[in-house]
Amino acid sequence: MPSASGANLPLHRLWGHFRSTIPAYGSGCWRGLGGDGMIEKAQRYVAQGYKAIKMQVAHVHDRHTDLANVRRMREALGPGIEIMVDVNMGWTADTAIQMGRKFEDYDVYWLEEPVAADDFCGYLRVADALDLRIVGGESHFTRYDLRPFLENPKLPILQPDVMRGGLTELRKIAAIADTWGMSLAPHLFPS
């Protein structure tokens, strides 16, 4: 049997390729750009053909400004573009629940990293309280780090960091996550 290196195949083929394209989103609609700047960057992504963008909230603006920015982003992009909102661990579970309920009015696709990375109970509280998808795991690199999420599969999408955990570990995480109906949107730092 030839070795993997002797197969002369790209890794995705060697590991069982099953699709020719993967969904992608425009990232980089950072909170530091302000509401107008985030919208302008998102519109550039849409003009390039992206069907989804990710914007940031928390840390810089108060919750009223964050809510206004999400509302304005939805108004600017319309219903055909998915909007993901990244909190970057900026809230408590209570604030994430409060804000998530308000974001649901703007058809947000996911709320990312709403609480501190190791606040697994907070993640589960938020996921239980909202209809909105709660995602996380970018600060976790192995299936062992992600065990609390895997044992309580309430986050439909996990984001393990492939640069820190490696491709083999990512593949193992994917197999376990798939068992529980979860999918991956791997994080890449620096992305």
Side-chain angles (χ1 to χ4, degrees), residues 132-150:
L132 180 60
R133 288 172 197 87
I134 305 304
V135 305
E138 73 182 60
S139 296
H140 305 283
F141 319 129
T142 70
R143 61 197 181 277
Y144 305 105
D145 295 338
L146 290 163
R147 183 176 291 174
F149 291 140
L150 296 166

Side-chain angles (χ1 to χ4, degrees), residues 7-20:
N8 201 22
L9 292 171
L11 193 55
H12 72 95
R13 289 259 185 234
L14 191 62
W15 279 356
H17 168 92
F18 68 93
R19 72 173 69 147
S20 297

Side-chain angles (χ1 to χ4, degrees), residues 1-69:
M1 177 180 228
S3 70
S5 62
N8 201 22
L9 292 171
L11 193 55
H12 72 95
R13 289 259 185 234
L14 191 62
W15 279 356
H17 168 92
F18 68 93
R19 72 173 69 147
S20 297
T21 62
I22 58 171
Y25 59 85
S27 190
C29 299
W30 294 305
R31 63 183 65 81
L33 297 172
D36 292 338
M38 286 190 288
I39 291 168
E40 181 182 319
K41 188 150 192 185
Q43 289 173 327
R44 286 197 311 261
Y45 283 131
V46 170
Q48 293 172 12
Y50 286 89
K51 302 293 183 203
I53 64 94
K54 185 165 74 172
M55 65 181 291
Q56 293 179 322
V57 297
H59 299 289
V60 173
H61 306 290
D62 63 33
R63 67 184 198 281
H64 303 290
T65 303
D66 286 337
L67 181 61
N69 287 339

Side-chain angles (χ1 to χ4, degrees), residues 38-178:
M38 286 190 288
I39 291 168
E40 181 182 319
K41 188 150 192 185
Q43 289 173 327
R44 286 197 311 261
Y45 283 131
V46 170
Q48 293 172 12
Y50 286 89
K51 302 293 183 203
I53 64 94
K54 185 165 74 172
M55 65 181 291
Q56 293 179 322
V57 297
H59 299 289
V60 173
H61 306 290
D62 63 33
R63 67 184 198 281
H64 303 290
T65 303
D66 286 337
L67 181 61
N69 287 339
V70 170
R71 176 187 50 79
R72 290 180 58 224
M73 184 69 77
R74 174 52 68 210
E75 290 169 355
L77 299 182
I81 303 297
E82 299 291 1
I83 298 173
M84 290 91 134
V85 176
D86 193 346
V87 183
N88 298 110
M89 301 185 279
W91 292 333
T92 64
D94 289 339
T95 301
I97 291 166
Q98 177 189 33
M99 294 302 292
R101 286 181 177 144
K102 294 176 182 186
F103 289 169
E104 286 174 342
D105 292 339
Y106 301 105
D107 192 26
V108 168
Y109 186 79
W110 80 34
L111 187 64
E112 180 176 336
E113 252 190 336
V115 298
D118 294 330
D119 183 3
F120 296 108
C121 291
Y123 266 103
L124 299 178
R125 281 183 53 217
V126 174
D128 281 341
L130 299 175
D131 291 330
L132 180 60
R133 288 172 197 87
I134 305 304
V135 305
E138 73 182 60
S139 296
H140 305 283
F141 319 129
T142 70
R143 61 197 181 277
Y144 305 105
D145 295 338
L146 290 163
R147 183 176 291 174
F149 291 140
L150 296 166
E151 290 175 344
N152 300 285
K154 296 183 181 210
L155 278 63
I157 303 168
L158 296 177
Q159 301 172 297
D161 192 296
V162 68
M163 293 297 291
R164 295 177 181 137
L167 291 170
T168 300
E169 187 64 22
L170 182 70
R171 191 168 183 225
K172 291 175 182 179
I173 293 166
I176 297 168
D178 185 58

